[in-house]
Amino acid sequence: MPGYFITFEGGEGVGKTTQLKLVAEELRKKGYDVVATREPGGTILGEKVRDILLKGSVDKMEPMTEALLFTAIRVNHVSSVIKPALEAGKIVLCDRYADTTNAYQGFAHGLGIDNMIKLYKFAIGDFEPNLTIIFDIEADKSHGILTEINRFESMGNDWLSKGVQGFREVAKLFPERCVLMNSVGTVPTITNRIMNILNEKLGI
Ligand code: TYD
């Protein structure tokens, strides 16, 4: 069985994390071997750097420092978790991945999506997700399930709206692998919507 690398992306409080857990359960019920992981994180090193990235004052580091740190731990995550799972024929579901760097550091912080794509190619190479589901919702209409507010969620509504816009730009740049999904609806409705997308795009 071929492995599939599927990323869940989108703004803050859109319900990605809840859905990723539910979709992992649905896929396991269908008999698939699923690895659920996240960024920043997914490895011991990544979880440590996650704390550095998410905690503390908004201006504690430059956007480029963020971009490089997210990318550095992505290299570690891809080589020690994601690629081995795919080689073993598993389905990898990842809560955020490089498109958040494109949308947030590239677009919202203004480093340029094109520069973030170059950085990705230099660090990771040709490896890309098979499918990226972008949870699309207006920043002011998100489900409001922000529990612990992290550094990024403290950057203000304008910045969060730019992030949402950044994901729409990403969807235009990578139409072959990205699905911009309306994420308004009840939890089971959205799970169904995602399962339908997986079936339509990857036959799973
Ligand atoms: P998390 O609590 O996982 O947020 P969410 O539940 O919204 O996914 O925190 C991850 C934060 O890190 C999130 O606010 C977005 C930010 N981030 C970036 O800015 N760039 C990146 O490349 C990644 C992976 C995350």
Side-chain angles (χ1 to χ4, degrees):
M1 212 193 303
Y4 289 112
F5 178 32
I6 302 162
T7 55
F8 284 33
E9 299 273 17
E12 303 300 316
V14 291
K16 273 180 302 82
T17 309
T18 307
Q19 289 299 335
L20 192 138
K21 284 192 194 119
L22 294 169
V23 168
E25 277 169 28
E26 289 296 313
L27 290 173
R28 286 184 186 122
K29 274 190 224 153
K30 287 185 167 204
Y32 291 103
D33 208 340
V34 179
V35 172
T37 187
R38 68 172 180 181
E39 288 203 356
T43 65
I44 294 168
L45 179 71
E47 293 293 332
K48 285 196 171 150
V49 177
R50 176 185 176 90
D51 264 4
I52 297 171
L53 280 159
L54 300 196
K55 291 184 182 160
S57 66
V58 162
D59 56 2
K60 81 172 194 183
M61 69 178 86
E62 303 71 23
M64 183 58 88
T65 308
E66 278 172 16
L68 294 170
L69 283 177
F70 281 118
T71 305
I73 54 174
R74 184 161 299 133
V75 172
N76 181 244
H77 192 204
V78 168
S79 68
S80 64
V81 174
I82 300 174
K83 279 191 176 168
L86 295 175
E87 278 155 20
K90 298 180 186 176
I91 295 180
V92 177
L93 300 181
C94 190
D95 191 350
R96 296 198 181 279
Y97 185 66
D99 291 318
T100 305
T101 312
N102 291 332
Y104 280 19
Q105 281 67 46
F107 190 85
H109 273 326
L111 292 176
I113 296 181
D114 53 339
N115 287 325
M116 296 302 101
I117 293 173
K118 278 187 210 148
L119 177 61
Y120 181 88
K121 292 253 178 232
F122 174 63
I124 315 266
D126 280 335
F127 178 75
E128 291 274 344
N130 298 98
L131 178 67
T132 297
I133 299 177
I134 298 177
F135 287 56
D136 188 47
I137 197 170
E138 296 303 331
D140 59 353
K141 294 202 186 73
S142 70
H143 300 313
I145 49 170
L146 302 183
T147 39
E148 218 180 292
I149 304 288
N150 70 41
R151 267 184 68 239
F152 295 92
E153 289 151 357
S154 312
M155 287 186 186
N157 287 340
D158 281 356
W159 193 84
L160 292 172
S161 299
K162 271 196 199 160
V164 171
Q165 216 186 317
F167 279 113
R168 292 180 184 158
E169 296 300 318
V170 166
K172 279 189 235 157
L173 285 173
F174 299 103
E176 63 296 336
R177 68 168 168 86
C178 287
V179 175
L180 195 64
M181 183 190 73
N182 174 356
S183 57
V184 179
T186 62
V187 170
T189 313
I190 310 284
T191 311
N192 273 336
R193 209 171 279 164
I194 298 169
M195 293 306 291
N196 287 336
I197 294 170
L198 296 190
N199 188 261
E200 198 181 301
K201 296 282 175 186
L202 302 174
I204 54 180

